[in-house]
Every structure is written in structure tokens, then in C-alpha cells.
């Protein structure tokens, strides 16, 4: 079945790879970009089926009209992919209010705004076809707290909570929501789609959180994940009749989340008696 996609952040990374893969199989894609000069290059990938859309997801007032225009160009909407975002690295005390708010505006409020604007079109698609799809990009950082990544953690944890509730709310309409949790992949995330604290503090320099700049400098070259293989897996998720609520991509993220869940279970069991003694 030919599908109509809206993907945020198609200039690089997973957004770009997923857009190319969808176009290669004959689908129609509207992809958001932040620079006017990128539009022609994107539309050249598949003239008439690739539609470049100018949008900065932190511009809340622009989201609804831009999404509406994109849906009109596509002639409907079957798949929404909230991919636009960046990593914010720095210990929580090091980051300014401006850095924190911009991270949340991009990674969380951008996802929220685009989703809300797209829902009417997705409901219409679900009524016509076998079900509409939403892919919300989270991260390993959306499930596991990481020193030096606390604000990015907060943004992606928020995406996870939003998506869990959204999945339940939208199920009666035939709209399936999947949270995508990539581990380490050789995209531009490690070398370009990230920001470091503008004012690092010497007090944190030798702590685990303070080592994050050095680690991120090596991240892109050492990541074992192949973006092309990840995109093929995501297409399989889109095509399955019953997609999962969560799709963790990569052995590294699977191991980390498994350890996290084991720790949660251990804490519950260790403190169960004291916890349940609080009943009336």
C-alpha cells in the first residue's frame, strides 16, 4: 500500500534515511527542514512525491499551518514520524535556563505540537485504511538516566510518557503509536546533532557527568549501529498490523533497558513491605 508520510527533521540522520527509504518504495513524503536551501535538494529525491516543508519545531505558532499545508500537498496523511531533535549534554547545574528550555521546546514540545496538528488527518486516514501510524523518536536516554545528559533525559522521558498515554487514547481510532528508542548508530547525532553546555563547571570536570564531552567526541566513530538496517526494521514496524508500543533498536539499548527494568523490579521487591504498610 502506498503511504503518505510526514517526517520532521529530514536533513540528516534517521529522518533523512527513513524519508529516502519511504520514497524508494514509492511512498509520498513531506519532510520538514529548517533552511530554505535544503528544500530543492530534498524534493529532487523523488519529484512530485518528495515535498520539502520549512519548519522549526520550536516555532509553536507555525506548526499547525505548516502541518495543514503539508497534509494538503500530500492529499492526506498515513504516517507521522516525530524525529526532529538534538542531544543536550552537560550536567544539570551547568546548563542555563535558556539551554534547558530550548532542549525541551525542540525535543518535547515540538513533538507534542506536530502530533496535535496532525491528528485530524491521521484519524481520517485510519478510517479509510488499515490504520494510521505514529513513530515518536525517543532514545536510550528516554528510558535510562545518564550522567551529563539529565536535561535530554527529561525531554525524552516526557516523550515516552506522552506516547504511552497517546497510544491508549488513539487506539479506538485505529491509530498505532510506537516509541522508537535507538541506541548507538553511525548517524550525525554524535558529531553534529548535539549541543554541549556553554558554561561547563570545573567542579564536574572529573565526574562521570563531566566526561560526556570526551565520550561524545568518540561516539560517532564507535557506534555499532547501521542506520540503513535500522530503517529497514522501522519499515517493518510500519507495515506490521500490530506494531509494538516500544521498539528499542540495537543490542546496546536492549541491554541497558533490561538492566534498568531489573533494577526497578529489585527496588520494588526490596521495599515492598514498607511501601504496602502505608495502607489504611
Amino acid at each position: 500500500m502506498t503511504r503518505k508520510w510526514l517526517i520532521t527533521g529530514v536533513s540528516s540522520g534517521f529522518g533523512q534515511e527513513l524519508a529516502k527509504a519511504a520514497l524508494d518504495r514509492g511512498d509520498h513524503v513531506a519532510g520538514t527542514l529548517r533552511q530554505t536551501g535544503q528544500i530543492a535538494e530534498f524534493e529532487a529525491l523523488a519529484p512530485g512525491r518528495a515535498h520539502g516543508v520549512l519548519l522549526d519545531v520550536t516555532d509553536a505558532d507555525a506548526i499547525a499551518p505548516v502541518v495543514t499545508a503539508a497534509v494538503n500537498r500530500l492529499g492526506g496523511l498515513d504516517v507521522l514520524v516525530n524525529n526532529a531533535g538534538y542531544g543536550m549534554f552537560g550536567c544539570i547545574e551547568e546548563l542555563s535556563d535558556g539551554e534547558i528550555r530550548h532542549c525541551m521546546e525542540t525535543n518535547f514540545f515540538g513533538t507534542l505540537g506536530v502530533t496535535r496538528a496532525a491528528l485530524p488527518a491521521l484519524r481520517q486516514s485510519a478510517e479509510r485504511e488499515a490504520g494510521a501510524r505514529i513513530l515518536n523518536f525517543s532514545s536510550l536516554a528516554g528510558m535510562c538516566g545518564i550522567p551529563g545528559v539529565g536535561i535530554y533525559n527529561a525531554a525524552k522521558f516526557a516523550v515516552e510518557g506522552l506516547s504511552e498515554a497517546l497510544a491508549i487514547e488513539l487506539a479506538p481510532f485505529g491509530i498505532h503509536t510506537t516509541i522508537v528508542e535507538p541506541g548507538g548508530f553511525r548517524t550525525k547525532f554524535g558529531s553534529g546533532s548535539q549541543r554541549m553546555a556553554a558554561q561547563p563547571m570545573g567542579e564536574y570536570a572529573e565526574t562521570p557527568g563531566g566526561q560526556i564531552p570526551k565520550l561524545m567526541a568518540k561516539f560517532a566513530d564507535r557506534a555499532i549501529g547501521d542506520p540503513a538496517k535500522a530503517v529497514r526494521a522501522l519499515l517493518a514496524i510500519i507495515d506490521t498490523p500490530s506494531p509494538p508500543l516500544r521498539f528499542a533498536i540495537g543490542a546496546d539499548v536492549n541491554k541497558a533497558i533490561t538492566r534498568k527494568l531489573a533494577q526497578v523490579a529489585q527496588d520494588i521487591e526490596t521495599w515492598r513491605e514498607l511501601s504496602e504498610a502505608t495502607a489504611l
Side-chain angles (χ1 to χ4, degrees), residues 7-279:
I7 305 175
T8 64
V10 297
S11 63
S12 64
F14 280 116
Q16 184 180 77
E17 294 294 331
L18 193 52
K20 288 180 178 179
L23 291 168
D24 285 346
R25 68 180 195 169
D27 289 352
H28 297 249
V29 179
T32 72
L33 299 152
R34 290 189 298 158
Q35 299 178 25
T36 304
Q38 298 171 321
I39 291 177
E41 182 180 356
F42 179 73
E43 293 187 340
L45 294 174
R49 292 189 293 108
H51 307 282
V53 179
L54 193 64
L55 178 66
D56 182 337
V57 297
T58 66
D59 186 350
D61 292 336
I63 289 176
V66 168
V67 169
T68 297
V71 170
N72 289 339
R73 290 178 69 181
L74 289 167
L77 184 61
D78 303 306
V79 182
L80 169 64
V81 181
N82 282 301
N83 164 74
Y86 66 89
M88 182 75 252
F89 301 104
C91 293
I92 292 167
E93 187 181 1
E94 295 179 310
L95 296 171
S96 68
D97 287 352
E99 288 172 313
I100 292 168
R101 290 182 185 281
H102 193 271
C103 178
M104 295 298 295
E105 289 287 347
T106 304
N107 290 295
F108 173 68
F109 285 104
T111 292
L112 175 61
V114 172
T115 300
R116 294 177 70 188
L119 283 177
L122 288 169
R123 283 200 305 272
Q124 291 177 7
S125 173
E127 291 171 0
R128 294 192 306 268
E129 306 292 349
R133 302 283 189 269
I134 297 174
L135 295 185
N136 283 341
F137 267 79
S138 177
S139 163
L140 164 62
M143 284 288 287
C144 302
I146 303 169
V149 191
I151 298 305
Y152 186 60
N153 280 142
K156 290 303 186 181
F157 269 56
V159 169
E160 298 254 349
L162 170 73
S163 301
E164 284 194 19
L166 197 65
I168 300 169
E169 292 177 357
L170 299 182
F173 301 105
I175 301 173
H176 296 277
T177 302
T178 295
I179 306 165
V180 181
E181 300 165 335
F185 281 85
R186 296 193 182 187
T187 66
K188 291 183 180 180
F189 181 84
S191 59
S193 296
Q194 44 82 15
R195 299 183 185 186
M196 299 291 178
Q199 299 291 332
M201 297 171 59
E203 291 88 342
Y204 289 98
E206 301 304 320
T207 69
Q211 294 297 304
I212 194 69
K214 296 178 183 178
L215 294 175
M216 291 309 301
K218 302 175 182 177
F219 180 83
D221 294 333
R222 293 188 176 184
I224 63 171
D226 181 343
K229 291 181 179 179
V231 165
R232 287 198 291 271
L234 290 172
L235 290 177
I237 293 296
I238 289 292
D239 292 338
T240 187
S242 300
L245 172 61
R246 281 186 171 82
F247 182 52
I249 318 177
D252 54 348
V253 70
N254 281 330
K255 290 178 182 177
I257 293 175
T258 298
R259 288 196 299 269
K260 162 73 176 283
L261 296 177
Q263 181 62 58
V264 171
Q266 180 180 328
D267 285 346
I268 289 173
E269 288 306 314
T270 299
W271 297 98
R272 181 182 295 278
E273 183 177 353
L274 181 61
S275 170
E276 296 182 359
T278 59

